């Protein structure tokens, strides 16, 4: 069974992705510091899939700890990198927190992807890279616009880092730019819990 590492696996999109990966025959490990989540969604994933998911409670900004996860899982065939802070409003008030967290974690994950020769890498980017698009609908060919927040800038910078990385490394990389997903798994066991205060995660 091929193994995929999902970062941010305890979050909204990460948890749903893990369900899909398992349903499609993959083995999954998660890395999530739970800075903006708890392990509650993973419990939901386990109930839905009947499979135990191991989450490494690791801050991806810590290179040594991140490296240890890859060292323990040398058979990983791909990484889906969801882990990030994502509140646009908070990023305006705390830009350094966003640059520090979102970019350092990405750099560390890419360092490990290279060191352990992981063939596939998916970056959870965002439609916010298009800025205030003047023409709708936005397509993959729409030029990127001025970032409207530090959060959006971390996604633009992240994409640029990956493009430069991909030029000189053999990893297959994809930038996944999506708009705000809505909804929840039909079981109701996992879902999104928007909160005015991004520090709070409500079960
Ligand atoms: N939800 C949306 O509407 C949306 C839209 C476009 C893009 N995205 C992007 O998709 C990704 C996932 O979004 P989500 O809605 O699932 O967010 P989420 O907040 O539910 O999940 C993100 C997870 O990442 C973890 N995390 C953050 N920093 C970390 C770090 N340094 N080390 C380890 N774990 C860390 C958090 O604890 C959280 O569980 C994010 O990168 C986000 O920017 C989300």
């Amino acid at each position: 069974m091929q193994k995929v590492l999902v970062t941010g696996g305890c979050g909204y999109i990460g948890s749903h992705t893990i369900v899909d990966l398992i349903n499609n025959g993959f083995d999954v490990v998660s890395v999530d510091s739970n800075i903006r989540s708890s392990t509650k969604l993973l419990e939901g994933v386990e109930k839905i899939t009947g499979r135990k998911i191991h989450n490494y409670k690791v801050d991806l900004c810590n290179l040594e700890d991140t490296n240890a996860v890859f060292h323990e899982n040398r058979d990983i065939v791909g990484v889906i990198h969801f882990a990030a802070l994502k509140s646009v409003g908070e990023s305006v008030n705390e830009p350094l927190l966003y640059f520090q967290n979102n970019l350092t974690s990405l750099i560390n994950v890419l360092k490990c992807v290279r060191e352990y020769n992981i063939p596939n890498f998916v970056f959870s980017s965002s439609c916010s890279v298009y800025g205030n698009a003047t023409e709708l609908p936005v397509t993959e060919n729409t030029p990127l616009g001025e970032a409207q927040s530090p959060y959006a800038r971390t996604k633009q910078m992240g994409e640029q880092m990956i493009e430069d990385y991909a030029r000189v490394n053999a990893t297959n990389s994809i930038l996944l730019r999506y708009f705000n997903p809505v909804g929840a798994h039909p079981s109701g066991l996992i879902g999104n819990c928007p909160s005015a205060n991004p520090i709070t995660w409500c079960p």
Side-chain angles (χ1 to χ4, degrees):
M1 203 181 280
Q2 292 191 312
K3 189 190 283 182
V4 174
L5 175 72
V6 175
T7 75
C10 298
Y12 173 43
I13 304 173
S15 58
H16 286 81
T17 302
I18 293 176
V19 170
D20 265 9
L21 285 167
I22 289 174
N23 286 343
N24 283 284
F26 290 94
D27 193 12
V28 178
V29 285
S30 164
V31 180
D32 197 311
S33 63
N34 296 137
I35 184 175
R36 292 296 155 84
S37 58
S38 74
T39 51
K40 202 166 170 70
L41 289 191
L42 273 194
E43 289 163 23
V45 171
E46 288 172 2
K47 281 189 191 139
I48 293 165
T49 62
R51 288 263 293 279
K52 184 95 191 129
I53 313 297
H54 184 66
N55 180 61
Y56 291 86
K57 192 168 175 169
V58 159
D59 180 354
L60 294 163
C61 294
N62 182 316
L63 179 58
E64 207 178 311
D65 290 352
T66 304
N67 197 292
V69 175
F70 282 80
H71 190 78
E72 233 179 88
N73 295 277
R74 286 170 173 269
D75 51 344
I76 292 168
V77 297
V79 173
I80 309 183
H81 183 51
F82 290 112
L85 300 178
K86 65 163 186 180
S87 165
V88 170
E90 184 187 42
S91 79
V92 172
N93 294 323
E94 297 288 347
L96 296 183
L97 172 69
Y98 272 67
F99 289 121
Q100 163 72 23
N101 188 73
N102 293 359
L103 298 180
T104 307
S105 57
L106 173 60
I107 290 168
N108 287 346
V109 170
L110 283 177
K111 279 182 177 172
C112 294
V113 164
R114 182 174 61 177
E115 183 172 343
Y116 293 92
N117 296 313
I118 313 291
N120 301 297
F121 179 77
V122 179
F123 177 57
S124 184
S125 187
S126 159
C127 65
S128 63
V129 297
Y130 295 110
N132 277 333
T134 48
E135 275 183 38
L136 295 175
V138 164
T139 73
E140 288 180 359
N141 298 321
T142 302
L144 302 196
E146 173 70 19
Q148 299 297 301
S149 68
Y151 164 74
R153 214 177 301 283
T154 67
K155 293 300 184 188
Q156 289 186 340
M157 293 167 81
E159 287 197 0
Q160 286 160 2
M161 286 199 292
I162 293 161
E163 280 167 12
D164 286 341
Y165 169 90
R167 273 187 203 105
V168 289
N169 291 280
T171 322
N172 300 312
S173 307
I174 290 179
L175 309 172
L176 191 56
R177 294 172 182 160
Y178 44 94
F179 290 75
N180 291 1
V182 291
H185 190 268
S187 67
L189 291 167
I190 56 174
N192 193 15
C193 188
S195 164
N197 177 356
I199 306 274
T200 310
W201 187 88
C202 44

